[in-house]
Amino acid sequence: MPEPLADVLAEVRTLLLAPGLTRAVAAGRRRGKTPSVTRAELRPVTLKGGPHLQIVTDDGSRPFTRNAAPGAEAESAVDALLAEPFGNWHVETTTATVQVRITKKGDAQVHRGAAPASAPDAGHDRAKQWLLDPGDPLFEVVGGTAAKRRQVDAFLRALAATLPAELPSPLRVVDLGCGNAYLTFAAYRYLSARGVRVQVVGVDVREDQRIRNTAVAEALGCSADVTFVAGTISDASLPLTPDLVLALHACDTATDEALARAVQWSARWVLAAPCCHHDIAAQLKGVTAPTPFGELTRHAIMRERFADVLTDTLRASLLRLHGYRVEVVEFIDSAHTPRNLLLRARRTDAPPTPAQLSEYESLTAQWSVTPALAKLLQTTTVHAAVCT
């Protein structure tokens, strides 16, 4: 049965400002009215200054994150959202779920139920759900959209699966092609929380990114341990030799340059999420596919997709030939990005076997391709070592 909208919104207001709130979402629009933002999400977070109400709004082009202090600031922010003509509210607390739909007549249809099974109870430590708490100051500085938090968490889980329980201190990390560096900072904050000193250097070709990222490091209070260098992946001069090398969505052969530097440094761990693949795809255009695989390259779209797979297969193979144990895993769900493969490598110094070398040579010979990584690593030295 419909209920008076004013009464229901008063109930929602109480839930949004109460300590038991876990999550709330406002979306849609009422008949004949349009809210100033397309969506709003609210959740409690814990910052250095104490508990806050985090509000993420989206105007259709970009998200905006605000952390409101308890009391007048949070009340004002909530009242402003309740005044917007949203068509739906969904509120979850530790004890209940309230779903509100505004009807065409302006009344409220309300469904009240128990808290979802996945909702944390009052004593639950929210940090256990995320490797980096969504309320971490990092998200206040770089922006904390739900998609970004999910990507950060997926990356950190892959990182955690790569590293051993006991880490060296200091742990030296290099992020090659770091861009806006939010994953660089996420790695630093997560690894520092594991109780070791972490030194991080981010490399990007753009000087403006170096300046911007340095300012972020200062804002986060970690500029002594997180520094940035402007330069190419191949040639940038670094103040340290890394234990861990990151290369996340470096474009085309930039990923190969990052992997080559990691091998040359004898890095203990490598995480690389390849981006676009053009090098092998270009080579396949002029090649007659070996029998019976002509259909794989007959159509351009199939050739491009096969080139992606072949490129990363050869990268993994080359890393194995250079003493790494390699896993190829999903970085994040493909719904968020189609470039979701992650090469995860640990240095074992195990010599390549004749079978591994034979498989690599057969694959490149049959498809008449020469991987960029092979050129960078000059793998003939590895071949000679195996053959003798």
Side-chain angles (χ1 to χ4, degrees):
M1 179 180 295
E3 300 180 30
L5 180 58
D7 293 346
V8 173
L9 291 182
E11 177 185 352
V12 170
R13 183 182 190 274
T14 299
L15 295 174
L16 295 178
L17 295 171
L21 177 71
T22 57
R23 177 176 177 265
V25 176
R29 61 187 180 90
R30 300 176 201 171
R31 186 178 187 181
K33 300 180 180 179
T34 302
S36 62
V37 293
T38 59
R39 187 176 187 275
E41 182 173 354
L42 302 86
R43 65 174 68 241
V45 296
T46 302
L47 306 179
K48 286 184 178 180
H52 282 63
L53 181 65
Q54 184 177 87
I55 303 171
V56 181
T57 55
D58 196 323
D59 62 5
S61 60
R62 63 182 296 272
F64 176 77
T65 301
R66 174 186 179 187
N67 294 313
E73 185 179 358
E75 292 173 7
S76 176
V78 166
D79 288 341
L81 288 175
L82 290 172
E84 294 278 359
F86 289 115
N88 303 278
W89 276 91
H90 177 93
V91 183
E92 296 175 7
T93 73
T94 54
T95 58
T97 298
V98 176
Q99 299 181 64
V100 180
R101 180 178 64 83
I102 288 78
T103 68
K104 294 180 179 180
K105 294 182 178 180
D107 295 320
Q109 289 280 6
V110 187
H111 173 77
R112 299 175 179 87
S118 60
D121 58 34
H124 185 81
D125 180 4
R126 291 179 65 250
K128 293 180 181 178
Q129 297 183 30
W130 304 83
L131 293 188
L132 186 66
D133 193 290
D136 189 278
L138 170 65
F139 297 112
E140 186 175 7
V141 175
V142 303
T145 67
K148 184 170 289 186
R149 292 198 299 272
R150 284 193 295 270
Q151 187 181 40
V152 166
D153 194 64
F155 160 64
L156 292 180
R157 291 186 185 280
L159 178 59
T162 304
L163 301 176
E166 294 187 11
L167 298 174
S169 186
L171 175 64
R172 298 174 294 265
V173 183
V174 167
D175 189 352
L176 298 173
C178 64
N180 62 16
Y182 69 91
L183 291 178
T184 315
F185 287 111
Y188 170 77
R189 297 190 70 82
Y190 165 71
L191 293 170
S192 296
R194 289 183 54 169
V196 298
R197 185 188 172 197
V198 183
Q199 296 173 289
V200 181
V201 178
V203 177
D204 194 88
V205 71
R206 292 170 51 184
E207 172 66 13
D208 62 326
Q209 287 284 39
R210 184 196 68 80
I211 295 172
R212 179 260 183 198
N213 293 337
T214 299
V216 171
E218 292 173 352
L220 291 171
C222 59
S223 57
D225 294 320
V226 184
T227 57
F228 294 90
V229 173
T232 64
I233 289 175
S234 295
D235 300 326
S237 177
L238 305 183
L240 53 78
T241 299
D243 304 298
L244 167 65
V245 172
L246 307 176
L248 306 172
H249 295 148
C251 188
D252 196 23
T253 56
T255 294
D256 300 296
E257 294 169 9
L259 294 176
R261 290 211 78 174
V263 172
Q264 291 157 4
W265 282 321
S266 296
R268 296 170 65 176
W269 305 285
V270 183
L271 283 179
C275 189
C276 52
H277 303 67
H278 300 309
D279 181 53
I280 294 294
Q283 295 182 50
L284 289 176
K285 285 184 179 180
V287 170
T288 300
T291 304
F293 302 112
E295 288 297 326
L296 285 177
T297 58
R298 187 180 309 279
H299 306 286
I301 187 170
M302 299 301 293
R303 183 172 62 246
E304 290 176 5
R305 292 182 180 179
F306 174 67
D308 290 358
V309 173
L310 182 59
T311 299
D312 291 328
T313 297
L314 293 172
R315 285 168 172 162
S317 180
L318 284 164
L319 288 173
R320 291 189 186 95
L321 294 180
H322 283 80
Y324 285 85
R325 178 183 176 184
V326 185
E327 298 171 297
V328 182
V329 298
E330 187 177 64
F331 176 29
I332 192 170
D333 192 277
S334 58
H336 303 293
T337 172
R339 304 297 184 184
N340 67 336
L341 287 187
L342 184 72
L343 299 176
R344 194 165 66 191
R346 306 176 184 88
R347 188 167 187 85
T348 64
D349 288 322
T353 65
Q356 289 173 333
L357 179 59
S358 176
E359 288 175 357
Y360 169 79
E361 291 182 333
S362 295
L363 195 56
T364 53
Q366 287 186 26
W367 287 99
S368 301
V369 294
T370 303
L373 182 57
K375 300 173 186 176
L376 293 167
L377 291 174
Q378 298 180 338
T379 54
T380 52
T381 58
V382 177
H383 297 184
V386 174
C387 295
T388 58

